[in-house]
Amino acid sequence: MSDNRNESDFDLFRLFFRYLARKLTFQHLLYFFVFVTFDIGDAVTASMMMEARGISAEYNTLVQHIFVNYGLSGLIGAKLLLIIVPLIIASTAVKNSYWFINGVLVSLSLAGLMATQANLQAMASLPHMSSMEINLLYLKILFILAAAGMIMDSYSESKEKGYSIK
């Protein structure tokens, strides 16, 4: 009897993952990576760093204020509200922004990885990139990937219009 139950549970999981594989897109995965790296990874390591080394270990005064007043959950929530939610709204409002949004998401993921690494190295008293270096590198990557995304979006739009004119 238990073998039959395990098989039905397995079938249910298989069906669920098959459904997810059909519904999830590349952009959904990028949003997930941004959430994990930029939102959770950076926020958790920043809070660990501030608790271990003091509030002044964080260079961003807004992050310091949010952490002191609202804690880790406030920090995660603020990053969601200020970064990820506006990107989701922009990607649904502007129909021809797929590659532009993807460029922004990839650059945010890379910034999240750099910030997480810097926080961990700061906690361990190891040399690390400063927040200014991370921000400048992020802006360079953002500019390159967003520009490439805009070019790809405009190309795909002109290609679609070219086919519909016939």
Side-chain angles (χ1 to χ4, degrees):
M1 189 108 181
S2 65
D3 291 335
N4 211 8
R5 184 174 183 211
N6 288 338
E7 285 180 21
S8 66
D9 289 345
F10 180 72
D11 289 340
L12 184 63
F13 283 120
R14 243 181 50 202
L15 182 63
F16 175 71
F17 285 115
R18 192 177 294 166
Y19 174 78
L20 281 180
R22 288 185 180 152
K23 294 294 181 183
L24 290 179
T25 64
F26 177 66
Q27 199 168 67
H28 292 132
L29 292 174
L30 289 177
Y31 276 110
F32 177 74
F33 289 145
V34 169
F35 177 71
V36 168
T37 60
F38 186 79
D39 197 7
I40 301 295
D42 182 32
V44 167
T45 57
S47 66
M48 288 169 48
M49 178 186 65
M50 287 185 277
E51 287 179 4
R53 300 184 53 96
I55 196 73
S56 63
E58 174 62 50
Y59 294 110
N60 188 335
T61 55
L62 180 61
V63 172
Q64 288 177 353
H65 174 74
I66 292 170
F67 182 72
V68 166
N69 292 312
Y70 304 103
L72 175 61
S73 60
L75 197 54
I76 291 172
K79 285 182 158 233
L80 273 172
L81 287 175
L82 297 174
I83 304 295
I84 296 175
V85 171
L87 279 174
I88 292 172
I89 292 169
S91 69
T92 57
V94 181
K95 295 300 179 200
N96 192 26
S97 64
Y98 179 78
W99 290 107
F100 172 77
I101 295 292
N102 287 350
V104 173
L105 292 172
V106 168
S107 61
L108 280 171
S109 293
L110 293 173
L113 287 173
M114 289 185 291
T116 300
Q117 179 184 6
N119 291 340
L120 291 172
Q121 288 174 326
M123 269 193 308
S125 298
L126 296 171
H128 61 280
M129 290 177 70
S130 71
S131 59
M132 182 64 77
E133 291 172 320
I134 293 171
N135 288 335
L136 287 175
L137 188 56
Y138 161 71
L139 289 174
K140 290 176 187 177
I141 294 169
L142 176 65
F143 177 76
I144 292 168
L145 294 179
M150 286 191 299
I151 292 168
M152 291 174 72
D153 285 334
S154 65
Y155 174 75
S156 65
E157 182 180 23
S158 67
K159 190 175 175 183
E160 286 175 8
K161 287 182 178 178
Y163 287 132
S164 64
I165 293 174
K166 290 182 181 181

